[in-house]
Amino acid sequence: MTALESVSMRIGAEWRAGTRQFCSIDPYTGEPWLSAPEATRQDVEDAVAAARAAFDRGPWRSMPGGRRAELLRRLADLIEQNADALALAETRDNGKLLREMRDQVRSLPAHYRYFAGLADKIDGRVVDTGRDNFVGFVLREPIGVVAAILPWNSPLLLLTFKIAPALAVGCTVVVKPSEHAPASILRFAELVEKAGFPPGVFNTVCGEAKEVGQWLVSSPQVDKVSFTGSGVTGRLVAAQAAEHLAPASLELGAKSANIVFADADLDAAVSGLLSGIFAAAGQSCVAGSRALIQRAVADVVIERLVERTRRITIGDPKDPATEMGPIAFGGQLDKVRRFVSIARADGGQILAGGDTAGDRDQFFLPTIVAGLPLTSRAWQEEIFGPVLSVRVFDDEEEAVELANGTVYGLAAGVWTTNVRRAFRLARRLVAGTVWINAYRTLGYAMPFGGLRHSGYGRENGVEALNEYLTDKSVWVEMSGAIRDPFTVG
Ligand code: ADP
């Protein structure tokens, strides 16, 4: 057996291999490929203390924004040089297509450069205080130590959504990657060091035990929590953060609607439905897992969709011909199976897939289900797998009602050539992102996040800076007059 690759945690100026290790399994081969450290409570406390010290006493927050920007740009260059190796580490951890992970990692330098460009533009404002003798101004200051908790599906992309703005404004960070996908995050820390960031600005802790995340979020030394993951864990994380009154931003699950009107370009719509759910084998928070199709075109759209779905090539995620890789790990596969059983029990008709791929148990076939009652959990809840539920609607009112008819509010797609309808729907859909004649497009300049049970807070765009800044009001008295101490002034 070849020796496993290994990674260490970056804590302050130290690399720690951990007193114990756990293995990350490559979901395609089913074999362990990486040995990662299991953080102790002490490791977590040390990482938070290093971030605290770097924030309170280090040069980071007091450094001119333009200097922080230089380091962010250097980091962007290093990511560019190492993108393919980082992408491969992600594919080995989570089984997603290498070409998707490559696209994602290659998109990251632009994120860091965008926020580098904002780092020296964190301007406050001067306020009319309503008093002759006072000047008032607002300083926008970094909030402090940020705990970033990550899921396994797009580790570096989702890390970047958090740390590019956090570092740009002068925060320090402790990151905990998912136990299913630690490799790329811990390797990324090597690039942060190489770029020349002061020690303690970027720290990593890692572990299989849920406690590692809990210790981090519960630390009273943490000033802000930024979490991406499931709704169940998101609630726990928000509650843990609330114990010490740290604000949290949460990017959680969804059951997004991809709506096809009869006036749509149907080829584009079918392609959009496919990419919405089967790209990444549905393991994406923005997955368009509910297709709503207008009655006049329902038969033709569903027929084309089913036909193309049955031809999806599953296989080695590293092979450029593969269209869908394995499910990331056994627990996730069980969840997909469970939901498909629920769909069957609730009267859903399986139009494609419906099971694992023959003898290749780590793959779940791309699956289309029709005829689910609106009350079915398979219609209402996030599956995070390659399962699309389709439903026919008659008019725009019904489409909006169905689209908005879950507890979530992350994303929605609309396929139409009617410009008025497109704008109407953009307003009426309850979602943080609405795509018109597109699906699953994200960019560093566009704010991203959810409503309702999909979470709160925004990542990307100038809006993301607000998550990591706090406003300080400064009152300056100019007259020198002594005021009556028993009035409010
Ligand atoms: P997923 O398996 O979909 O990534 P989770 O939402 O459970 O789902 O996990 C997201 C991240 O949250 C992971 O890094 C995980 O280790 C971490 N985590 C799990 N439980 C907790 C917890 N109680 N407190 C903090 N982090 C947690």
Side-chain angles (χ1 to χ4, degrees):
M1 198 182 113
T2 49
L4 298 185
E5 295 184 30
S6 65
V7 281
S8 297
M9 298 179 288
R10 179 74 173 165
I11 296 178
E14 255 182 82
W15 290 102
R16 287 194 197 171
T19 42
R20 281 195 314 119
Q21 283 77 31
F22 71 100
C23 288
S24 176
I25 312 283
D26 177 335
Y28 177 63
T29 61
E31 301 290 332
W33 78 280
L34 178 97
S35 164
E38 182 70 45
T40 60
R41 183 159 204 156
Q42 190 62 51
D43 291 325
V44 175
E45 282 173 12
D46 291 349
V48 174
R52 183 82 260 162
F55 185 77
D56 292 343
R57 298 187 291 283
W60 186 240
R61 69 178 293 199
S62 52
M63 189 182 278
R67 175 83 189 102
R68 283 197 300 275
E70 278 171 30
L71 291 171
L72 287 166
R73 290 196 184 98
R74 210 176 292 160
L75 178 60
D77 294 343
L78 287 167
I79 297 168
E80 224 154 49
Q81 290 156 25
N82 292 276
D84 290 358
L86 290 169
L88 181 60
E90 300 209 322
T91 291
R92 297 203 69 184
D93 264 349
N94 67 14
K96 280 173 70 173
L97 297 189
L98 183 56
R99 61 179 142 129
E100 175 171 359
M101 300 334 282
R102 262 196 202 135
D103 276 357
Q104 281 189 4
V105 179
R106 287 175 185 173
S107 77
L108 302 184
H111 283 256
Y112 290 96
R113 292 182 185 126
Y114 175 81
F115 283 101
L118 294 171
D120 57 358
K121 297 170 192 68
I122 316 292
D123 299 328
R125 65 193 177 101
V126 177
V127 177
D128 178 350
T129 61
R131 293 161 176 86
D132 248 5
N133 59 334
F134 276 101
V135 167
F137 58 92
V138 180
L139 293 175
R140 299 174 79 208
E141 299 187 329
I143 196 166
V145 173
V146 175
I149 312 276
L150 303 175
W152 47 265
N153 60 332
S154 296
L156 282 173
L157 181 74
L158 300 174
L159 169 82
T160 297
F161 283 12
K162 301 179 189 316
I163 70 164
L167 294 177
V169 303
C171 289
T172 60
V173 187
V174 182
V175 179
K176 195 205 85 68
S178 164
E179 53 279 25
H180 300 294
S184 63
I185 301 298
L186 298 200
R187 295 233 164 109
F188 175 87
E190 295 166 16
L191 304 184
V192 178
E193 186 199 8
K194 213 166 161 186
F197 283 74
V201 170
F202 180 82
N203 309 273
T204 52
V205 292
C206 176
E208 209 171 18
K210 296 286 177 220
E211 284 77 14
V212 178
Q214 282 170 23
W215 294 328
L216 176 57
V217 172
S218 310
S219 167
Q221 298 298 318
V222 163
D223 299 305
K224 161 89 190 185
V225 174
S226 181
F227 172 87
T228 301
S230 64
V232 174
T233 305
R235 276 185 187 78
L236 290 173
V237 164
Q240 287 158 194
E243 281 291 322
H244 58 102
L245 298 171
S249 359
L250 305 175
E251 202 266 276
L252 310 174
K255 191 79 177 178
S256 299
N258 211 347
I259 312 168
V260 180
F261 284 93
D263 58 31
D265 171 341
L266 296 189
D267 289 336
V270 169
S271 163
L273 291 175
L274 276 164
S275 79
I277 184 69
F278 298 129
Q283 301 170 117
S284 159
C285 54
V286 294
S289 48
R290 294 181 304 144
L292 306 178
I293 307 169
Q294 199 160 21
R295 192 171 303 279
V297 293
D299 286 348
V300 56
V301 168
I302 291 171
E303 191 188 309
R304 285 195 217 169
L305 186 63
V306 168
E307 188 275 326
R308 181 63 184 90
T309 298
R310 290 200 176 125
R311 283 192 293 113
I312 287 176
T313 312
I314 58 176
D316 183 348
K318 296 184 285 305
D319 181 342
T322 299
E323 293 173 326
M324 236 180 70
I327 300 296
F329 55 98
Q332 191 57 33
L333 191 70
D334 291 342
K335 184 176 175 199
V336 177
R337 272 208 199 94
R338 240 181 358 258
F339 267 105
V340 172
S341 306
I342 292 173
R344 281 204 170 91
D346 288 347
Q349 300 118 44
I350 308 290
L351 305 183
D355 212 336
T356 46
D359 53 347
R360 296 192 295 174
D361 220 24
Q362 71 275 45
F363 292 91
F364 202 91
L365 292 171
T367 297
I368 301 179
V369 188
L372 282 175
L374 296 181
T375 50
S376 172
R377 286 185 54 205
W379 176 263
Q380 291 288 340
E381 294 179 26
E382 181 178 59
I383 300 176
F384 221 69
V387 182
L388 176 69
S389 300
V390 296
R391 189 176 182 95
V392 176
F393 68 88
D394 285 302
D395 57 20
E396 197 176 299
E397 261 331 288
E398 189 186 359
V400 169
E401 201 173 309
L402 287 168
N404 292 343
T406 71
V407 293
Y408 302 109
L410 188 62
V414 179
W415 299 86
T416 180
T417 51
N418 177 335
V419 70
R420 295 193 181 108
R421 190 201 306 279
F423 278 85
R424 277 198 303 271
L425 275 263
R427 280 211 175 155
R428 294 188 66 195
L429 292 169
V430 180
T433 295
V434 176
W435 289 290
I436 307 290
N437 296 321
Y439 206 88
R440 223 168 162 254
T441 303
L442 297 176
Y444 53 77
M446 289 285 267
F448 176 69
L451 293 157
R452 308 207 285 209
H453 288 206
S454 294
Y456 42 80
R458 289 293 176 268
E459 307 198 290
N460 298 340
V462 289
E463 290 81 356
L465 297 174
N466 298 333
E467 303 290 333
Y468 302 104
L469 287 167
T470 172
D471 295 320
K472 178 186 280 172
S473 292
V474 181
W475 294 79
V476 183
E477 210 284 336
M478 296 179 295
S479 74
I482 309 287
R483 117 159 169 239
D484 172 357
F486 303 103
T487 64
V488 255

